[in-house]
Amino acid sequence: MHLDGDQWNKAFDSFTQDAWRFEAQPTYTMPQEAKSFARFLRGEARPGDHNSRWHDRVRAYVASGRRIGRVRIVRQPLTDYQRYQFAWGIPGNIEAGEDIRVLDVSSENYELPLGGTDWWMFDYARVVRLNFRPDGTLISRETFEGDIQQYREWKRIALAESVPFAEYVKERG
């Protein structure tokens, strides 16, 4: 089943304990970020209200006792979009209460059986796959209807192999 608009928001907000994302694309081409991404590329300062709607949602989830997090896959050198996320997006998301970790797969010998697509897992029971074009444009969100055990295992591996965002940035700084 494809999830768009209000249907996606309703499905997302219905998690009761844990929402977690595997984020694998090197670039995301999102219309709602186009202006702020361009500002970042021009070297402008991050606006104080950058990503505030998402931060409000994260704070509400955390205040209700729910957890939200993700593991971000990267390769060195970071793409412009990843640099934008690291400078403008992730710090505010963490401040709002999101647990964000980084898994650097730059090494030529680094191979993990994690798949290359993005997905959300809700309450260890529901998976929604995110389908992208090569340029990072979202094509669709679809509910995964099969056995999610493989996704649970991928989540376990990603969490075990990744480091907290602050640690990753400090090591690279």
Side-chain angles (χ1 to χ4, degrees):
M1 167 195 276
H2 286 273
L3 300 170
D4 292 310
D6 289 340
Q7 191 178 31
W8 166 241
N9 290 330
K10 186 176 180 179
F12 191 103
D13 289 339
S14 70
F15 78 93
T16 59
Q17 296 175 343
D18 182 74
W20 187 84
R21 181 169 176 180
F22 182 73
E23 199 170 48
Q25 305 306 305
T27 297
Y28 296 93
T29 304
M30 300 171 32
Q32 66 270 29
E33 288 186 336
K35 287 182 183 177
S36 63
F37 184 45
R39 291 175 70 179
F40 168 79
L41 291 175
R42 288 191 302 265
E44 296 179 19
R46 178 177 54 101
D49 65 346
H50 178 74
N51 215 13
S52 61
R53 288 180 53 201
W54 177 249
H55 298 159
D56 290 344
R57 286 179 75 185
V58 169
R59 285 186 194 97
Y61 299 141
V62 172
S64 70
R66 296 181 280 178
R67 294 178 310 275
I68 187 162
R70 68 183 75 206
V71 167
R72 178 71 173 106
I73 303 297
V74 299
R75 280 189 170 80
Q76 294 295 330
L78 298 179
T79 65
D80 286 343
Y81 186 84
Q82 288 168 336
R83 290 185 313 100
Y84 163 71
Q85 278 188 320
F86 276 40
W88 282 31
I90 293 174
N93 293 0
I94 291 171
E95 186 178 310
E98 191 173 352
D99 176 34
I100 301 179
R101 302 175 61 85
V102 178
L103 177 54
D104 191 322
V105 296
S106 297
S107 169
E108 292 177 21
N109 299 324
Y110 202 99
E111 289 193 30
L112 285 176
L114 297 173
T117 61
D118 287 36
W119 45 275
W120 279 97
M121 179 183 289
F122 301 99
D123 299 323
Y124 286 90
R126 246 179 338 122
V127 170
V128 174
R129 294 193 297 200
L130 308 174
N131 302 306
F132 292 90
R133 290 188 179 99
D135 72 349
T137 301
L138 181 67
I139 299 168
S140 65
R141 298 176 197 94
E142 63 180 315
T143 304
F144 179 72
E145 301 293 339
D147 180 3
I148 67 165
Q149 186 56 40
Q150 182 65 65
Y151 288 92
R152 290 179 181 150
E153 179 64 7
W154 287 341
K155 178 180 178 182
R156 184 195 67 74
I157 292 168
L159 287 170
E161 296 290 326
S162 61
V163 297
F165 175 76
E167 183 179 326
Y168 182 79
V169 172
K170 184 178 181 182
E171 289 173 3
R172 297 277 181 241

